[in-house]
Amino acid sequence: MNISKIAELAKVSPATVSRYLNNGYISEEKKERISKVIKETGYIPSQSAQTLRTKKNYLIGVIVPKINSESISKMVQGITLQLKNTKYNLLLANTDNSTDKELEFLSIFKKSTVDGVILIGTIITKKHHQIIDDYTKPIVILGQFDKDISCVYYDDFGAARGATEKLIRSGCKDIAYIGVTNEDKSAGMSRLDGFKFALEKNHLVINERLIHECDFTSDSGYKCMDRILSMGQRFDGLFCATDNIALGAMKCLKEHNIGVPNYVKIISVGDSNISNLCTPTLSTAHLYYVNGGESACNLLLESLEKDMNMVKHYRLGYEIISRESTMME
């Protein structure tokens, strides 16, 4: 069974069948006739033939730093939601937070049959640019800002600033910070900068002894909190760069019989599912991860469908979610 036979049975030209298969315009009457014949015959169009005609494989390559992250999974969810009603399929590559693997997948996708790439990266380096600058296919970065590449990113600075100001409005004056500083540009330096900006704006002291670096895990948050307590530094508020870090810190405070929010108020960034299930519930800054995935996918599809590759930037907002961990007495 081929296009010519389908055309003969439907009493249309092969060109009309081709337009039907490629979503081109044909009359409703002819569309119904072709659809009926295809259903009756069980005809499946050849992917290779479609690729030759359209020069597309209908594959989107998505590079992620870690598949078990709730925020990353929400971004991927947004991408898949946008691809749901298209011909495109998703090809996922997990780097396990390895920059070398990230660069390797960028090179693989550059030479492979994917039509476009979405990179959910951490730090975009010169090596990334060396590969991306020679890309002939569209690429969109999600979660990081780069002036030379189309990207969808989050207001990490604003979220951290807003979260810190929530602590200040709750009466906190000596506020500690636990978070990533250099490993991730957005979740690290941008959030630390937003934290410091909020303190300066409200004429509060930035105590460097209360600023501690850790990784993204709750275990690391626990250890950092234990270190701060062992130093004997006074603090009545705590900003954590992620919900996971905050959960570890809360566990440590509980084991030291330091009540939250009575003695220490805590806020973080992420609005993960568990932030509303822990005790006390965790105040946090909500970032629109699903919307980010949708926006990045739309940006890539626009480049693919319009055969264009203009550099565009979209920054998404945030929302402060107030819960028990910042409640005033």
Side-chain angles (χ1 to χ4, degrees):
M1 186 63 62
N2 54 35
I3 285 180
S4 296
K5 187 62 177 178
I6 295 294
E8 179 184 338
L9 294 172
K11 295 182 173 53
V12 297
S13 69
T16 302
V17 177
S18 180
R19 285 199 302 275
Y20 171 86
L21 294 173
N22 290 289
N23 296 320
Y25 175 76
I26 60 174
S27 69
E28 288 299 320
E29 179 191 355
K30 291 179 179 179
K31 190 181 293 185
E32 289 178 7
R33 294 211 305 264
I34 296 170
S35 177
K36 181 180 179 183
V37 170
I38 288 176
K39 287 179 181 177
E40 289 175 348
T41 59
Y43 172 70
I44 300 176
S46 166
Q47 181 63 49
S48 59
Q50 283 190 310
T51 299
L52 286 172
R53 287 193 301 272
T54 64
K55 297 182 180 180
K56 290 181 180 178
N57 291 286
Y58 295 101
L59 274 178
I60 301 297
V62 179
I63 303 173
V64 302
K66 49 183 177 179
I67 198 64
N68 61 340
S69 162
E70 185 175 330
S71 60
I72 299 299
S73 67
K74 287 179 179 178
M75 294 183 213
V76 174
Q77 179 189 356
I79 296 170
T80 57
L81 285 172
Q82 291 307 108
L83 293 179
K84 187 176 181 181
N85 296 318
T86 72
K87 289 186 176 182
Y88 290 93
N89 292 304
L90 183 150
L91 185 61
L92 197 65
N94 180 27
T95 68
D96 286 323
N97 279 322
S98 167
T99 301
D100 289 339
K101 291 296 291 183
E102 201 167 81
L103 295 169
E104 180 183 339
F105 281 126
L106 277 172
S107 297
I108 290 172
F109 283 162
K110 180 179 178 181
K111 301 172 185 176
S112 72
T113 57
V114 300
D115 298 306
V117 176
I118 297 174
L119 168 63
I120 306 176
T122 51
I123 298 177
I124 308 302
T125 66
K126 290 182 179 179
K127 290 184 178 180
H128 287 81
H129 275 284
Q130 288 172 357
I131 298 172
I132 294 172
D133 288 349
D134 292 330
Y135 255 59
T136 56
K137 56 188 70 176
I139 182 167
V140 175
I141 295 174
L142 175 55
Q144 297 286 340
F145 174 78
D146 190 290
K147 65 181 180 64
D148 298 317
I149 307 170
S150 289
C151 56
V152 176
Y153 61 104
Y154 305 98
D155 189 0
D156 291 278
F157 177 93
R161 173 186 173 181
T164 306
E165 288 177 343
K166 170 63 181 175
L167 290 174
I168 296 169
R169 290 194 302 272
S170 298
C172 300
K173 297 186 182 302
D174 299 294
I175 304 176
Y177 173 96
I178 300 178
V180 181
T181 56
N182 295 315
E183 182 181 346
D184 185 293
K185 185 177 179 181
S186 289
M189 291 308 301
S190 291
R191 295 182 190 179
L192 178 58
D193 289 344
F195 166 78
K196 288 183 175 181
F197 182 90
L199 295 183
E200 289 177 342
K201 182 190 173 191
N202 289 274
H203 310 292
L204 295 179
V205 175
I206 298 174
N207 186 347
E208 295 293 340
R209 289 173 61 82
L210 287 176
I211 296 176
H212 289 256
E213 181 179 359
C214 67
D215 59 34
F216 289 103
T217 66
S218 57
D219 182 58
S220 185
Y222 179 99
K223 290 176 180 177
C224 265
M225 188 73 266
D226 193 51
R227 186 160 62 248
I228 292 173
L229 293 174
S230 68
M231 294 169 62
Q233 288 287 303
R234 182 188 180 281
F235 65 99
D236 54 10
L238 172 65
F239 171 77
C240 295
T242 70
D243 290 348
N244 274 345
I245 294 171
L247 292 172
M250 287 170 67
K251 182 172 185 275
C252 182
L253 288 168
K254 183 177 181 180
E255 291 181 2
H256 283 81
N257 296 314
I258 299 174
V260 177
N262 294 337
Y263 292 98
V264 175
K265 292 175 173 51
I266 300 179
I267 197 167
S268 56
V269 176
D271 193 21
S272 60
N273 293 332
I274 199 170
S275 64
N276 198 31
L277 299 174
C278 59
T279 303
T281 54
L282 179 62
S283 293
T284 182
H286 175 84
L287 297 178
Y288 297 93
Y289 292 123
V290 176
N291 289 0
E294 292 174 331
S295 298
C297 189
N298 281 335
L299 187 54
L300 187 68
L301 291 176
E302 180 184 4
S303 296
L304 289 169
E305 297 306 317
K306 295 183 179 179
D307 196 22
M308 56 185 283
N309 199 18
M310 293 177 58
V311 174
K312 295 184 178 181
H313 301 140
Y314 294 102
R315 186 180 72 180
L316 303 182
Y318 64 91
E319 180 184 358
I320 300 299
I321 309 296
S322 298
R323 297 195 179 110
E324 294 170 347
S325 66
T326 54
M327 287 179 62
M328 300 179 67
E329 295 182 46

